[in-house]
């Protein structure tokens, strides 16, 4: 099958070589290398790379990629009437060995926004909570006879309990990506008779997360947070900044991930 070698090659490439800004810096470098021998072609390649980089660094440019993803989901209305049996909140990043927390790993600011919304939903619905996220030092595979490493889910559970005053029933600590979030969480929930969940993650991440959790056999009710395209654009949105680049990177990453998932599903169906 011709598609399989292509998929394997793409999967082996470091993601930052494909995503901006690294990929665009490479385009600019190629243009500069061409400049001496083929000045016109070099200027076109380098200039195009620089123009796209500047555009993606603006909030307006980022919305070109953010908007289609956020259009695939919607804010949850009346969570009490959603018929869910549990709330699942997915990990984002974490801050390692935070000195102000006695060297513990803590959720990063993106994860905290998800946790705050999960706490809000838990207070409104009274549903039990599952936190999902691994990436401990043992990558979800502790050595026999040794305690497992502290994972993202542990930091999430601590924040919910200590900072938001919300109980956590389940901790899924082995997953390394969204697909594993789904498969490991589904195993825990199904063992407890849970079939329908409120799924909490970023609006941009929700289409991919919903797809893999549904594939794992759960009924998913979207509970997205962090919408970026529902705010009006100001003149500042056309000025390049780091936040514009971050949103572009994240949206392009999610778009590629969603397309990758669909290709893999088609290949295995």
């Amino acid at each position: 099958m011709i598609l399989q070698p292509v998929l394997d090659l793409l999967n082996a490439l470091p993601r930052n070589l494909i995503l901006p800004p690294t990929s665009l810096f490479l385009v600019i470098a190629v243009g500069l290398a061409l400049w001496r021998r083929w000045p016109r072609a070099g200027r076109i390649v380098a200039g195009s790379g620089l123009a796209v980089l500047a555009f993606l660094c603006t909030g307006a440019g980022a919305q070109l990629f953010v908007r289609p993803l956020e259009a695939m989901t919607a804010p949850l209305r009346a969570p009490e009437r959603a018929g869910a049996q549990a709330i699942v909140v997915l990990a984002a990043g974490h801050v390692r060995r935070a000195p102000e927390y006695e060297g513990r790993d803590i959720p990063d600011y993106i994860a905290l926004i998800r946790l705050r919304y999960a706490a809000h939903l838990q207070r409104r619905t009274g549903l039990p909570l599952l936190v999902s996220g691994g990436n401990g030092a043992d990558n979800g595979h502790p050595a026999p006879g040794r305690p497992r490493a502290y994972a993202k889910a542990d930091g999430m559970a601590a924040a919910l309990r200590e900072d938001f005053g919300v109980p956590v029933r389940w901790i899924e600590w082995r997953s390394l990506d969204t697909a594993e979030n789904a498969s490991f969480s589904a195993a825990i929930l199904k063992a407890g008779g849970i079939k329908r969940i409120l799924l909490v993650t970023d609006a941009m991440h929700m289409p991919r997360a919903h797809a893999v959790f549904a594939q794992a056999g759960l009924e998913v009710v979207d509970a997205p947070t962090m919408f970026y395209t529902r705010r009006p654009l100001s003149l500042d949105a056309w000025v390049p900044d780091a936040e514009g680049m971050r949103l572009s990177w994240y949206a392009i990453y999610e778009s590629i991930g969603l397309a990758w998932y669909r290709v893999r599903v088609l290949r295995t169906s």
Side-chain angles (χ1 to χ4, degrees):
M1 184 177 181
I2 296 175
L3 183 60
Q4 184 59 46
V6 175
L7 292 176
D8 292 340
L9 175 62
L10 290 174
N11 199 40
L13 288 174
R15 66 185 182 186
N16 282 332
L17 289 179
I18 302 172
L19 295 167
T22 303
S23 58
L24 293 172
F25 283 133
L26 291 175
V27 170
I28 294 169
V30 169
L32 294 176
L34 293 173
W35 198 309
R36 177 173 295 181
R37 186 163 185 180
W38 298 286
R40 181 180 176 82
R43 286 195 298 270
I44 291 173
V45 172
S48 298
L50 183 60
V52 173
L53 178 62
F55 180 67
L56 292 183
C57 284
T58 67
Q63 286 213 10
L64 182 67
F65 298 94
V66 175
R67 191 176 297 277
L69 291 168
E70 292 191 351
M72 296 181 190
T73 188
L76 177 62
R77 309 299 183 192
E80 305 90 342
R81 298 197 294 271
Q85 300 165 283
I87 301 167
V88 176
V89 55
L90 304 185
H94 59 204
V95 179
R96 288 192 175 277
R97 300 183 182 88
E100 70 274 31
Y101 287 91
E102 292 79 42
R104 287 188 297 166
D105 293 354
I106 60 172
D108 71 355
Y109 71 98
I110 295 176
L112 280 174
I113 294 174
R114 299 179 186 182
L115 293 173
R116 180 178 180 178
Y117 186 47
H120 169 76
L121 291 174
Q122 198 282 330
R123 290 193 182 99
R124 287 188 62 175
T125 64
L127 294 173
L129 255 167
L130 180 147
V131 293
S132 176
N135 295 110
D138 53 24
N139 276 333
H141 300 285
R146 293 186 181 181
R148 67 175 178 83
Y150 195 80
K152 289 178 182 177
D154 296 304
M156 295 165 67
L160 284 168
R161 291 165 176 159
E162 298 169 12
D163 302 325
F164 294 100
V166 168
V168 175
R169 181 172 298 183
W170 304 283
I171 297 177
E172 185 287 297
W173 53 269
R174 294 189 296 156
S175 56
L176 303 179
D177 55 31
T178 305
E180 290 189 352
N181 286 145
S183 61
F184 295 148
S185 296
I188 294 170
L189 293 169
K190 289 176 182 178
I194 305 295
K195 297 179 180 179
R196 187 173 176 86
I197 63 167
L198 301 182
L199 181 61
V200 178
T201 189
D202 308 350
M204 277 192 282
H205 184 223
M206 185 59 75
R208 187 161 62 95
H210 183 119
V212 294
F213 271 81
Q215 183 72 15
L218 293 171
E219 298 175 24
V220 181
V221 178
D222 290 1
T225 186
M226 296 176 68
F227 286 86
Y228 291 98
T229 58
R230 292 174 177 249
R231 62 188 76 169
L233 285 178
S234 64
L235 288 176
D236 289 345
W238 295 96
V239 178
D241 60 19
E243 178 65 4
M245 186 72 262
R246 185 191 75 81
L247 289 177
S248 292
W249 184 96
Y250 189 11
I252 293 171
Y253 174 76
E254 285 301 327
S255 299
I256 292 173
L258 187 59
W260 175 263
Y261 170 78
R262 287 172 175 169
V263 169
R264 291 181 67 90
V265 168
L266 288 173
R267 182 174 61 85
T268 56
S269 61

